[in-house]
Amino acid sequence: AQSVTQPDIHITVSEGASLELRCNYSYGATPYLFWYVQSPGQGLQLLLKYFSGDTLVQGIKGFEAEFKRSQSSFNLRKPSVHWSDAAEYFCAVARNYGQNFVFGPGTRLSVLP
Amino acid sequence: SQTIHQWPATLVQPVGSPLSLECTVEGTSNPNLYWYRQAAGRGLQLLFYSVGIGQISSEVPQNLSASRPQDRQFILSSKKLLLSDSGFYLCAWLGGETQYFGPGTRLLVL
């Protein structure tokens, strides 16, 4: 069965610092991979997705993620964090052309002024 | 463009009372629809999904049920709420191979 792990439950960074959120997945075939962000009390917003092709994908809000098949990872990065980036971040893997998603437990990001 | 709505935004209900949460999608036809629950500080738990009118698949046995009376409407219901039903309920639709989420309904059962 497929699974998604996000090893970091909570990360704190200073504003302007770089950020990397880790995501590892277990899936037998080529996965569809996603990163979502959730602000408190809000729904999930899609940041970026990877289906195939270039393994470095660009998303909204200055985020990017890199798919590494050899490491079964899809880590999210941002070169300079803004205070508004404080939120919960979820990694997800999909099967059956997106019909069934498996979400990671989430990583909560706090940003220090 | 497509839009997904959920209501109510917030709901406070006593234990044992019934529940009805509604989700509607605009700008697309016959989408796959999903209900998730998110307990406080927890990840997402898939409750139900639907591939069409009247077609419901349940992922987790519980006292909740779902119905899809119309193409773009998905309803989550309960006859008698439990304290453990408290949480944040999210509806999503499948566009291409991507799920897009609604704003959510916060349910507090007292």
Side-chain angles (χ1 to χ4, degrees), chain A residues 23-55:
Chain A
C23 172
N24 293 94
Y25 66 90
S26 172
Y27 186 57
T30 301
Y32 292 175
L33 295 161
F34 305 81
W35 275 100
Y36 290 84
V37 62
Q38 183 182 33
S39 297
Q42 305 293 315
L44 274 68
Q45 181 183 22
L46 179 69
L47 282 176
L48 47 79
K49 56 188 176 183
Y50 172 78
F51 292 165
S52 64
D54 191 349
T55 56

PDB file of all heavy atoms in Angstrom, chain A residues 23-55:
ATOM      1  N   CYS A  23       9.519  15.146   2.230  1.00  0.00           N
ATOM      2  CA  CYS A  23       8.411  14.249   1.940  1.00  0.00           C
ATOM      3  C   CYS A  23       8.982  12.993   1.315  1.00  0.00           C
ATOM      4  O   CYS A  23       9.730  13.047   0.338  1.00  0.00           O
ATOM      5  CB  CYS A  23       7.415  14.905   0.992  1.00  0.00           C
ATOM      6  SG  CYS A  23       6.125  13.795   0.385  1.00  0.00           S
ATOM      7  N   ASN A  24       8.619  11.845   1.871  1.00  0.00           N
ATOM      8  CA  ASN A  24       9.007  10.564   1.301  1.00  0.00           C
ATOM      9  C   ASN A  24       7.752   9.738   1.057  1.00  0.00           C
ATOM     10  O   ASN A  24       6.806   9.796   1.835  1.00  0.00           O
ATOM     11  CB  ASN A  24       9.960   9.813   2.241  1.00  0.00           C
ATOM     12  CG  ASN A  24      11.290  10.513   2.364  1.00  0.00           C
ATOM     13  OD1 ASN A  24      11.511  11.307   3.278  1.00  0.00           O
ATOM     14  ND2 ASN A  24      12.176  10.238   1.434  1.00  0.00           N
ATOM     15  N   TYR A  25       7.753   8.990  -0.001  1.00  0.00           N
ATOM     16  CA  TYR A  25       6.567   8.225  -0.338  1.00  0.00           C
ATOM     17  C   TYR A  25       6.932   6.774  -0.615  1.00  0.00           C
ATOM     18  O   TYR A  25       8.088   6.452  -0.918  1.00  0.00           O
ATOM     19  CB  TYR A  25       5.873   8.836  -1.563  1.00  0.00           C
ATOM     20  CG  TYR A  25       6.717   8.730  -2.816  1.00  0.00           C
ATOM     21  CD1 TYR A  25       6.631   7.632  -3.658  1.00  0.00           C
ATOM     22  CD2 TYR A  25       7.636   9.734  -3.127  1.00  0.00           C
ATOM     23  CE1 TYR A  25       7.426   7.526  -4.770  1.00  0.00           C
ATOM     24  CE2 TYR A  25       8.439   9.631  -4.252  1.00  0.00           C
ATOM     25  CZ  TYR A  25       8.335   8.521  -5.063  1.00  0.00           C
ATOM     26  OH  TYR A  25       9.136   8.414  -6.167  1.00  0.00           O
ATOM     27  N   SER A  26       5.935   5.951  -0.523  1.00  0.00           N
ATOM     28  CA  SER A  26       6.080   4.543  -0.864  1.00  0.00           C
ATOM     29  C   SER A  26       4.990   4.212  -1.867  1.00  0.00           C
ATOM     30  O   SER A  26       3.802   4.335  -1.538  1.00  0.00           O
ATOM     31  CB  SER A  26       5.933   3.663   0.379  1.00  0.00           C
ATOM     32  OG  SER A  26       5.890   2.296   0.022  1.00  0.00           O
ATOM     33  N   TYR A  27       5.415   3.891  -3.078  1.00  0.00           N
ATOM     34  CA  TYR A  27       4.427   3.643  -4.132  1.00  0.00           C
ATOM     35  C   TYR A  27       5.083   2.810  -5.206  1.00  0.00           C
ATOM     36  O   TYR A  27       6.208   3.079  -5.591  1.00  0.00           O
ATOM     37  CB  TYR A  27       3.919   4.965  -4.688  1.00  0.00           C
ATOM     38  CG  TYR A  27       2.791   4.848  -5.676  1.00  0.00           C
ATOM     39  CD1 TYR A  27       1.605   4.207  -5.330  1.00  0.00           C
ATOM     40  CD2 TYR A  27       2.891   5.384  -6.952  1.00  0.00           C
ATOM     41  CE1 TYR A  27       0.574   4.092  -6.234  1.00  0.00           C
ATOM     42  CE2 TYR A  27       1.857   5.275  -7.864  1.00  0.00           C
ATOM     43  CZ  TYR A  27       0.699   4.634  -7.495  1.00  0.00           C
ATOM     44  OH  TYR A  27      -0.332   4.509  -8.391  1.00  0.00           O
ATOM     45  N   GLY A  28       4.387   1.812  -5.710  1.00  0.00           N
ATOM     46  CA  GLY A  28       4.978   0.871  -6.635  1.00  0.00           C
ATOM     47  C   GLY A  28       5.192   1.387  -8.028  1.00  0.00           C
ATOM     48  O   GLY A  28       6.086   0.953  -8.733  1.00  0.00           O
ATOM     49  N   ALA A  29       4.395   2.330  -8.461  1.00  0.00           N
ATOM     50  CA  ALA A  29       4.481   2.824  -9.830  1.00  0.00           C
ATOM     51  C   ALA A  29       4.950   4.270  -9.827  1.00  0.00           C
ATOM     52  O   ALA A  29       5.282   4.821  -8.783  1.00  0.00           O
ATOM     53  CB  ALA A  29       3.109   2.706 -10.499  1.00  0.00           C
ATOM     54  N   THR A  30       4.974   4.871 -10.985  1.00  0.00           N
ATOM     55  CA  THR A  30       5.337   6.288 -11.068  1.00  0.00           C
ATOM     56  C   THR A  30       4.238   7.108 -10.417  1.00  0.00           C
ATOM     57  O   THR A  30       3.085   7.050 -10.840  1.00  0.00           O
ATOM     58  CB  THR A  30       5.497   6.720 -12.533  1.00  0.00           C
ATOM     59  OG1 THR A  30       6.517   5.921 -13.137  1.00  0.00           O
ATOM     60  CG2 THR A  30       5.891   8.184 -12.597  1.00  0.00           C
ATOM     61  N   PRO A  31       4.572   7.841  -9.401  1.00  0.00           N
ATOM     62  CA  PRO A  31       3.523   8.538  -8.654  1.00  0.00           C
ATOM     63  C   PRO A  31       3.156   9.896  -9.229  1.00  0.00           C
ATOM     64  O   PRO A  31       3.934  10.507  -9.941  1.00  0.00           O
ATOM     65  CB  PRO A  31       4.174   8.719  -7.284  1.00  0.00           C
ATOM     66  CG  PRO A  31       5.629   8.921  -7.609  1.00  0.00           C
ATOM     67  CD  PRO A  31       5.905   8.050  -8.810  1.00  0.00           C
ATOM     68  N   TYR A  32       1.951  10.323  -8.923  1.00  0.00           N
ATOM     69  CA  TYR A  32       1.593  11.722  -9.051  1.00  0.00           C
ATOM     70  C   TYR A  32       1.831  12.325  -7.661  1.00  0.00           C
ATOM     71  O   TYR A  32       1.349  11.787  -6.668  1.00  0.00           O
ATOM     72  CB  TYR A  32       0.131  11.895  -9.433  1.00  0.00           C
ATOM     73  CG  TYR A  32      -0.229  11.435 -10.815  1.00  0.00           C
ATOM     74  CD1 TYR A  32      -1.553  11.453 -11.236  1.00  0.00           C
ATOM     75  CD2 TYR A  32       0.714  10.976 -11.721  1.00  0.00           C
ATOM     76  CE1 TYR A  32      -1.924  11.042 -12.512  1.00  0.00           C
ATOM     77  CE2 TYR A  32       0.355  10.558 -12.989  1.00  0.00           C
ATOM     78  CZ  TYR A  32      -0.951  10.591 -13.381  1.00  0.00           C
ATOM     79  OH  TYR A  32      -1.307  10.174 -14.642  1.00  0.00           O
ATOM     80  N   LEU A  33       2.546  13.412  -7.589  1.00  0.00           N
ATOM     81  CA  LEU A  33       2.935  13.992  -6.307  1.00  0.00           C
ATOM     82  C   LEU A  33       2.475  15.430  -6.198  1.00  0.00           C
ATOM     83  O   LEU A  33       2.495  16.172  -7.196  1.00  0.00           O
ATOM     84  CB  LEU A  33       4.457  13.917  -6.140  1.00  0.00           C
ATOM     85  CG  LEU A  33       5.023  12.493  -6.061  1.00  0.00           C
ATOM     86  CD1 LEU A  33       6.511  12.486  -6.356  1.00  0.00           C
ATOM     87  CD2 LEU A  33       4.752  11.891  -4.694  1.00  0.00           C
ATOM     88  N   PHE A  34       2.102  15.818  -4.996  1.00  0.00           N
ATOM     89  CA  PHE A  34       1.512  17.139  -4.768  1.00  0.00           C
ATOM     90  C   PHE A  34       2.028  17.724  -3.448  1.00  0.00           C
ATOM     91  O   PHE A  34       2.341  16.996  -2.516  1.00  0.00           O
ATOM     92  CB  PHE A  34      -0.022  17.046  -4.670  1.00  0.00           C
ATOM     93  CG  PHE A  34      -0.681  16.383  -5.840  1.00  0.00           C
ATOM     94  CD1 PHE A  34      -0.723  15.001  -5.937  1.00  0.00           C
ATOM     95  CD2 PHE A  34      -1.275  17.134  -6.842  1.00  0.00           C
ATOM     96  CE1 PHE A  34      -1.330  14.372  -7.010  1.00  0.00           C
ATOM     97  CE2 PHE A  34      -1.887  16.523  -7.914  1.00  0.00           C
ATOM     98  CZ  PHE A  34      -1.911  15.144  -8.002  1.00  0.00           C
ATOM     99  N   TRP A  35       2.038  19.039  -3.403  1.00  0.00           N
ATOM    100  CA  TRP A  35       2.180  19.771  -2.162  1.00  0.00           C
ATOM    101  C   TRP A  35       1.015  20.748  -2.045  1.00  0.00           C
ATOM    102  O   TRP A  35       0.715  21.480  -2.995  1.00  0.00           O
ATOM    103  CB  TRP A  35       3.488  20.562  -2.099  1.00  0.00           C
ATOM    104  CG  TRP A  35       4.665  19.766  -1.621  1.00  0.00           C
ATOM    105  CD1 TRP A  35       5.641  19.199  -2.384  1.00  0.00           C
ATOM    106  CD2 TRP A  35       5.006  19.476  -0.254  1.00  0.00           C
ATOM    107  NE1 TRP A  35       6.559  18.560  -1.581  1.00  0.00           N
ATOM    108  CE2 TRP A  35       6.204  18.717  -0.278  1.00  0.00           C
ATOM    109  CE3 TRP A  35       4.427  19.785   0.985  1.00  0.00           C
ATOM    110  CZ2 TRP A  35       6.830  18.262   0.875  1.00  0.00           C
ATOM    111  CZ3 TRP A  35       5.044  19.327   2.136  1.00  0.00           C
ATOM    112  CH2 TRP A  35       6.240  18.575   2.080  1.00  0.00           C
ATOM    113  N   TYR A  36       0.395  20.728  -0.841  1.00  0.00           N
ATOM    114  CA  TYR A  36      -0.683  21.654  -0.523  1.00  0.00           C
ATOM    115  C   TYR A  36      -0.286  22.455   0.710  1.00  0.00           C
ATOM    116  O   TYR A  36       0.461  21.974   1.564  1.00  0.00           O
ATOM    117  CB  TYR A  36      -1.981  20.901  -0.198  1.00  0.00           C
ATOM    118  CG  TYR A  36      -2.650  20.218  -1.356  1.00  0.00           C
ATOM    119  CD1 TYR A  36      -2.253  18.933  -1.761  1.00  0.00           C
ATOM    120  CD2 TYR A  36      -3.709  20.815  -2.038  1.00  0.00           C
ATOM    121  CE1 TYR A  36      -2.883  18.296  -2.807  1.00  0.00           C
ATOM    122  CE2 TYR A  36      -4.348  20.181  -3.081  1.00  0.00           C
ATOM    123  CZ  TYR A  36      -3.932  18.919  -3.455  1.00  0.00           C
ATOM    124  OH  TYR A  36      -4.566  18.273  -4.501  1.00  0.00           O
ATOM    125  N   VAL A  37      -0.879  23.649   0.830  1.00  0.00           N
ATOM    126  CA  VAL A  37      -0.689  24.473   2.012  1.00  0.00           C
ATOM    127  C   VAL A  37      -2.050  24.787   2.615  1.00  0.00           C
ATOM    128  O   VAL A  37      -3.028  24.985   1.890  1.00  0.00           O
ATOM    129  CB  VAL A  37       0.088  25.771   1.668  1.00  0.00           C
ATOM    130  CG1 VAL A  37      -0.673  26.644   0.662  1.00  0.00           C
ATOM    131  CG2 VAL A  37       0.367  26.560   2.933  1.00  0.00           C
ATOM    132  N   GLN A  38      -2.088  24.801   3.951  1.00  0.00           N
ATOM    133  CA  GLN A  38      -3.336  25.099   4.664  1.00  0.00           C
ATOM    134  C   GLN A  38      -3.070  26.145   5.732  1.00  0.00           C
ATOM    135  O   GLN A  38      -2.340  25.887   6.688  1.00  0.00           O
ATOM    136  CB  GLN A  38      -3.905  23.835   5.304  1.00  0.00           C
ATOM    137  CG  GLN A  38      -5.244  24.041   5.994  1.00  0.00           C
ATOM    138  CD  GLN A  38      -5.762  22.785   6.651  1.00  0.00           C
ATOM    139  OE1 GLN A  38      -5.002  21.958   7.143  1.00  0.00           O
ATOM    140  NE2 GLN A  38      -7.091  22.609   6.668  1.00  0.00           N
ATOM    141  N   SER A  39      -3.685  27.298   5.565  1.00  0.00           N
ATOM    142  CA  SER A  39      -3.636  28.315   6.613  1.00  0.00           C
ATOM    143  C   SER A  39      -4.679  27.972   7.653  1.00  0.00           C
ATOM    144  O   SER A  39      -5.654  27.268   7.356  1.00  0.00           O
ATOM    145  CB  SER A  39      -3.898  29.698   6.017  1.00  0.00           C
ATOM    146  OG  SER A  39      -2.873  30.027   5.094  1.00  0.00           O
ATOM    147  N   PRO A  40      -4.528  28.451   8.890  1.00  0.00           N
ATOM    148  CA  PRO A  40      -5.464  28.083   9.966  1.00  0.00           C
ATOM    149  C   PRO A  40      -6.915  28.361   9.600  1.00  0.00           C
ATOM    150  O   PRO A  40      -7.254  29.464   9.137  1.00  0.00           O
ATOM    151  CB  PRO A  40      -4.993  28.967  11.133  1.00  0.00           C
ATOM    152  CG  PRO A  40      -3.548  29.193  10.876  1.00  0.00           C
ATOM    153  CD  PRO A  40      -3.417  29.288   9.383  1.00  0.00           C
ATOM    154  N   GLY A  41      -7.763  27.358   9.763  1.00  0.00           N
ATOM    155  CA  GLY A  41      -9.181  27.508   9.491  1.00  0.00           C
ATOM    156  C   GLY A  41      -9.559  27.563   8.029  1.00  0.00           C
ATOM    157  O   GLY A  41     -10.712  27.872   7.703  1.00  0.00           O
ATOM    158  N   GLN A  42      -8.629  27.253   7.166  1.00  0.00           N
ATOM    159  CA  GLN A  42      -8.883  27.332   5.720  1.00  0.00           C
ATOM    160  C   GLN A  42      -8.806  25.963   5.070  1.00  0.00           C
ATOM    161  O   GLN A  42      -8.342  24.990   5.677  1.00  0.00           O
ATOM    162  CB  GLN A  42      -7.855  28.263   5.058  1.00  0.00           C
ATOM    163  CG  GLN A  42      -7.777  29.656   5.649  1.00  0.00           C
ATOM    164  CD  GLN A  42      -9.044  30.434   5.403  1.00  0.00           C
ATOM    165  OE1 GLN A  42      -9.588  30.434   4.303  1.00  0.00           O
ATOM    166  NE2 GLN A  42      -9.531  31.098   6.438  1.00  0.00           N
ATOM    167  N   GLY A  43      -9.244  25.902   3.821  1.00  0.00           N
ATOM    168  CA  GLY A  43      -9.073  24.674   3.052  1.00  0.00           C
ATOM    169  C   GLY A  43      -7.647  24.536   2.566  1.00  0.00           C
ATOM    170  O   GLY A  43      -6.771  25.335   2.892  1.00  0.00           O
ATOM    171  N   LEU A  44      -7.390  23.477   1.797  1.00  0.00           N
ATOM    172  CA  LEU A  44      -6.058  23.244   1.265  1.00  0.00           C
ATOM    173  C   LEU A  44      -5.905  23.913  -0.093  1.00  0.00           C
ATOM    174  O   LEU A  44      -6.780  23.792  -0.960  1.00  0.00           O
ATOM    175  CB  LEU A  44      -5.801  21.743   1.112  1.00  0.00           C
ATOM    176  CG  LEU A  44      -5.273  20.998   2.338  1.00  0.00           C
ATOM    177  CD1 LEU A  44      -6.323  20.929   3.427  1.00  0.00           C
ATOM    178  CD2 LEU A  44      -4.808  19.603   1.949  1.00  0.00           C
ATOM    179  N   GLN A  45      -4.784  24.576  -0.281  1.00  0.00           N
ATOM    180  CA  GLN A  45      -4.483  25.228  -1.548  1.00  0.00           C
ATOM    181  C   GLN A  45      -3.328  24.490  -2.210  1.00  0.00           C
ATOM    182  O   GLN A  45      -2.306  24.215  -1.579  1.00  0.00           O
ATOM    183  CB  GLN A  45      -4.106  26.694  -1.321  1.00  0.00           C
ATOM    184  CG  GLN A  45      -3.798  27.447  -2.606  1.00  0.00           C
ATOM    185  CD  GLN A  45      -3.363  28.876  -2.349  1.00  0.00           C
ATOM    186  OE1 GLN A  45      -2.906  29.231  -1.257  1.00  0.00           O
ATOM    187  NE2 GLN A  45      -3.509  29.723  -3.345  1.00  0.00           N
ATOM    188  N   LEU A  46      -3.487  24.206  -3.490  1.00  0.00           N
ATOM    189  CA  LEU A  46      -2.442  23.499  -4.228  1.00  0.00           C
ATOM    190  C   LEU A  46      -1.254  24.425  -4.467  1.00  0.00           C
ATOM    191  O   LEU A  46      -1.413  25.522  -5.002  1.00  0.00           O
ATOM    192  CB  LEU A  46      -2.987  23.014  -5.570  1.00  0.00           C
ATOM    193  CG  LEU A  46      -2.010  22.284  -6.476  1.00  0.00           C
ATOM    194  CD1 LEU A  46      -1.637  20.926  -5.880  1.00  0.00           C
ATOM    195  CD2 LEU A  46      -2.605  22.102  -7.866  1.00  0.00           C
ATOM    196  N   LEU A  47      -0.063  23.973  -4.060  1.00  0.00           N
ATOM    197  CA  LEU A  47       1.161  24.732  -4.315  1.00  0.00           C
ATOM    198  C   LEU A  47       1.810  24.308  -5.631  1.00  0.00           C
ATOM    199  O   LEU A  47       2.234  25.154  -6.417  1.00  0.00           O
ATOM    200  CB  LEU A  47       2.170  24.495  -3.183  1.00  0.00           C
ATOM    201  CG  LEU A  47       1.965  25.226  -1.869  1.00  0.00           C
ATOM    202  CD1 LEU A  47       3.018  24.775  -0.866  1.00  0.00           C
ATOM    203  CD2 LEU A  47       2.007  26.734  -2.061  1.00  0.00           C
ATOM    204  N   LEU A  48       1.919  23.018  -5.843  1.00  0.00           N
ATOM    205  CA  LEU A  48       2.543  22.496  -7.056  1.00  0.00           C
ATOM    206  C   LEU A  48       2.269  21.006  -7.165  1.00  0.00           C
ATOM    207  O   LEU A  48       1.810  20.385  -6.203  1.00  0.00           O
ATOM    208  CB  LEU A  48       4.048  22.768  -7.065  1.00  0.00           C
ATOM    209  CG  LEU A  48       4.848  22.444  -5.786  1.00  0.00           C
ATOM    210  CD1 LEU A  48       5.143  20.976  -5.654  1.00  0.00           C
ATOM    211  CD2 LEU A  48       6.148  23.245  -5.758  1.00  0.00           C
ATOM    212  N   LYS A  49       2.565  20.479  -8.350  1.00  0.00           N
ATOM    213  CA  LYS A  49       2.341  19.054  -8.592  1.00  0.00           C
ATOM    214  C   LYS A  49       3.360  18.520  -9.582  1.00  0.00           C
ATOM    215  O   LYS A  49       3.912  19.279 -10.396  1.00  0.00           O
ATOM    216  CB  LYS A  49       0.930  18.809  -9.111  1.00  0.00           C
ATOM    217  CG  LYS A  49       0.607  19.593 -10.371  1.00  0.00           C
ATOM    218  CD  LYS A  49      -0.872  19.444 -10.720  1.00  0.00           C
ATOM    219  CE  LYS A  49      -1.244  20.292 -11.928  1.00  0.00           C
ATOM    220  NZ  LYS A  49      -2.700  20.210 -12.237  1.00  0.00           N
ATOM    221  N   TYR A  50       3.603  17.233  -9.511  1.00  0.00           N
ATOM    222  CA  TYR A  50       4.504  16.564 -10.424  1.00  0.00           C
ATOM    223  C   TYR A  50       3.815  15.321 -10.965  1.00  0.00           C
ATOM    224  O   TYR A  50       3.356  14.471 -10.195  1.00  0.00           O
ATOM    225  CB  TYR A  50       5.810  16.158  -9.725  1.00  0.00           C
ATOM    226  CG  TYR A  50       6.677  15.290 -10.601  1.00  0.00           C
ATOM    227  CD1 TYR A  50       7.444  15.836 -11.613  1.00  0.00           C
ATOM    228  CD2 TYR A  50       6.689  13.904 -10.446  1.00  0.00           C
ATOM    229  CE1 TYR A  50       8.227  15.039 -12.436  1.00  0.00           C
ATOM    230  CE2 TYR A  50       7.452  13.097 -11.258  1.00  0.00           C
ATOM    231  CZ  TYR A  50       8.214  13.668 -12.256  1.00  0.00           C
ATOM    232  OH  TYR A  50       8.971  12.872 -13.079  1.00  0.00           O
ATOM    233  N   PHE A  51       3.799  15.241 -12.309  1.00  0.00           N
ATOM    234  CA  PHE A  51       3.254  14.053 -12.954  1.00  0.00           C
ATOM    235  C   PHE A  51       4.349  13.326 -13.727  1.00  0.00           C
ATOM    236  O   PHE A  51       4.464  12.109 -13.660  1.00  0.00           O
ATOM    237  CB  PHE A  51       2.118  14.417 -13.903  1.00  0.00           C
ATOM    238  CG  PHE A  51       0.879  14.937 -13.221  1.00  0.00           C
ATOM    239  CD1 PHE A  51      -0.106  15.587 -13.955  1.00  0.00           C
ATOM    240  CD2 PHE A  51       0.682  14.785 -11.859  1.00  0.00           C
ATOM    241  CE1 PHE A  51      -1.255  16.072 -13.332  1.00  0.00           C
ATOM    242  CE2 PHE A  51      -0.457  15.262 -11.234  1.00  0.00           C
ATOM    243  CZ  PHE A  51      -1.423  15.910 -11.982  1.00  0.00           C
ATOM    244  N   SER A  52       5.135  14.076 -14.468  1.00  0.00           N
ATOM    245  CA  SER A  52       6.207  13.488 -15.265  1.00  0.00           C
ATOM    246  C   SER A  52       7.079  14.614 -15.786  1.00  0.00           C
ATOM    247  O   SER A  52       6.797  15.795 -15.559  1.00  0.00           O
ATOM    248  CB  SER A  52       5.649  12.675 -16.438  1.00  0.00           C
ATOM    249  OG  SER A  52       4.950  13.502 -17.332  1.00  0.00           O
ATOM    250  N   GLY A  53       8.174  14.244 -16.476  1.00  0.00           N
ATOM    251  CA  GLY A  53       9.008  15.253 -17.115  1.00  0.00           C
ATOM    252  C   GLY A  53      10.060  15.813 -16.170  1.00  0.00           C
ATOM    253  O   GLY A  53      10.612  15.087 -15.332  1.00  0.00           O
ATOM    254  N   ASP A  54      10.308  17.095 -16.303  1.00  0.00           N
ATOM    255  CA  ASP A  54      11.332  17.773 -15.503  1.00  0.00           C
ATOM    256  C   ASP A  54      11.095  17.514 -14.017  1.00  0.00           C
ATOM    257  O   ASP A  54      10.001  17.754 -13.504  1.00  0.00           O
ATOM    258  CB  ASP A  54      11.305  19.272 -15.794  1.00  0.00           C
ATOM    259  CG  ASP A  54      12.512  19.998 -15.217  1.00  0.00           C
ATOM    260  OD1 ASP A  54      13.257  19.385 -14.423  1.00  0.00           O
ATOM    261  OD2 ASP A  54      12.703  21.165 -15.566  1.00  0.00           O
ATOM    262  N   THR A  55      12.119  17.039 -13.338  1.00  0.00           N
ATOM    263  CA  THR A  55      11.949  16.642 -11.941  1.00  0.00           C
ATOM    264  C   THR A  55      11.937  17.823 -10.983  1.00  0.00           C
ATOM    265  O   THR A  55      11.649  17.645  -9.799  1.00  0.00           O
ATOM    266  CB  THR A  55      13.059  15.666 -11.531  1.00  0.00           C
ATOM    267  OG1 THR A  55      14.335  16.293 -11.777  1.00  0.00           O
ATOM    268  CG2 THR A  55      12.968  14.377 -12.329  1.00  0.00           C
TER     269      THR A  55
END
